[in-house]
Amino acid sequence: MNTSLAIYPGSFDPVTNGHLDLIERGAKIFGRLIVAVLRNADKQPLFTVDERVEMLREVTRSFPTVEVDVFEGLLVDYARRRGAQVILRGIRAISDYEYELQMALMNRKLEPSLEIVFMMPAESYIYLSAHVVREIAQFGGPLTGLVPPVVERRLRAKVS
Ligand code: ADP
């Protein structure tokens, strides 16, 4: 397993500037970073997995060491398959902590060699989530500074 390869998993429905901030920070630390979109059959997403991957690829094009992939099932199995030993997650407010702690400890129990690394975004993205972005888009609110321009266009088209 490789500590210079990290996986950044999430729904990315859609990718926001907060996610991008984390990707940029992660890309500085790890030799390679895989942004992995979870294919989750239970959820009712706004964008299909393919649409989310397309947007992620477009906005990470300038990062040569960043790859976008899709996974389903247990994250630890996917990490093992990809030969990664590090999972990257973002911590925003304190409210993220409890859920992230539970997930991290459970993943560690399933795969003790896995390390979970938490990073904080820039202050301006602390309150930003894909959920909030979807709500603002649904009511026609301003999205400038919250998502990359290509995502803003796709959101407007999706909800119109
Ligand atoms: P969201 O909570 O926005 O729906 P995801 O499920 O796609 O996001 O989250 C994937 C990862 O990205 C999680 O670790 C989450 O904490 C992190 N993340 C999401 N938004 C931000 C942000 N604004 N700043 C830092 N990390 C973030």
Side-chain angles (χ1 to χ4, degrees):
M1 281 206 176
N2 189 347
T3 49
S4 74
L5 170 62
I7 294 174
Y8 178 33
S11 310
F12 304 102
D13 185 26
V15 56
T16 68
N17 285 344
H19 294 130
L20 260 186
D21 178 289
L22 256 268
I23 292 170
E24 212 172 319
R25 288 173 202 279
K28 275 195 228 154
I29 293 184
F30 304 105
R32 276 171 60 215
L33 183 66
I34 301 170
V35 182
V37 180
L38 173 64
R39 198 187 286 282
N40 188 345
D42 300 339
K43 277 197 184 171
Q44 282 276 315
L46 180 62
F47 289 99
T48 66
V49 168
D50 287 349
E51 287 171 326
R52 284 179 262 160
V53 166
E54 240 174 69
M55 286 184 273
L56 272 166
R57 292 221 167 105
E58 193 155 344
V59 300
T60 59
R61 228 181 1 214
S62 58
F63 300 98
T65 56
V66 173
E67 179 195 331
V68 181
D69 194 13
V70 175
F71 79 105
E72 48 197 327
L74 288 178
L75 178 60
V76 290
D77 290 335
Y78 175 68
R80 223 176 272 137
R81 215 167 45 246
R82 296 300 312 257
Q85 200 181 25
V86 177
I87 302 299
L88 174 65
R89 297 285 290 177
I91 287 272
R92 287 161 289 193
I94 306 289
S95 51
D96 275 344
Y97 180 76
E98 200 172 337
Y99 173 72
E100 291 294 338
L101 178 71
Q102 183 187 16
M103 292 276 288
L105 292 179
M106 186 49 73
N107 280 328
R108 184 184 281 165
K109 197 172 173 60
L110 294 171
E111 177 54 71
S113 70
L114 203 61
E115 291 300 338
I116 293 91
V117 172
F118 295 105
M119 294 187 86
M120 281 171 288
E123 248 170 58
S124 41
Y125 302 133
I126 284 285
Y127 299 103
L128 181 54
S129 71
H131 174 77
V132 160
V133 160
R134 291 196 299 273
E135 292 225 313
I136 295 173
Q138 245 136 29
F139 297 110
L143 290 164
T144 316
L146 304 183
V147 292
V150 58
V151 176
E152 182 171 353
R153 281 196 297 278
R154 302 277 292 249
L155 271 165
R156 300 257 178 252
K158 182 66 93 178
V159 300
S160 68

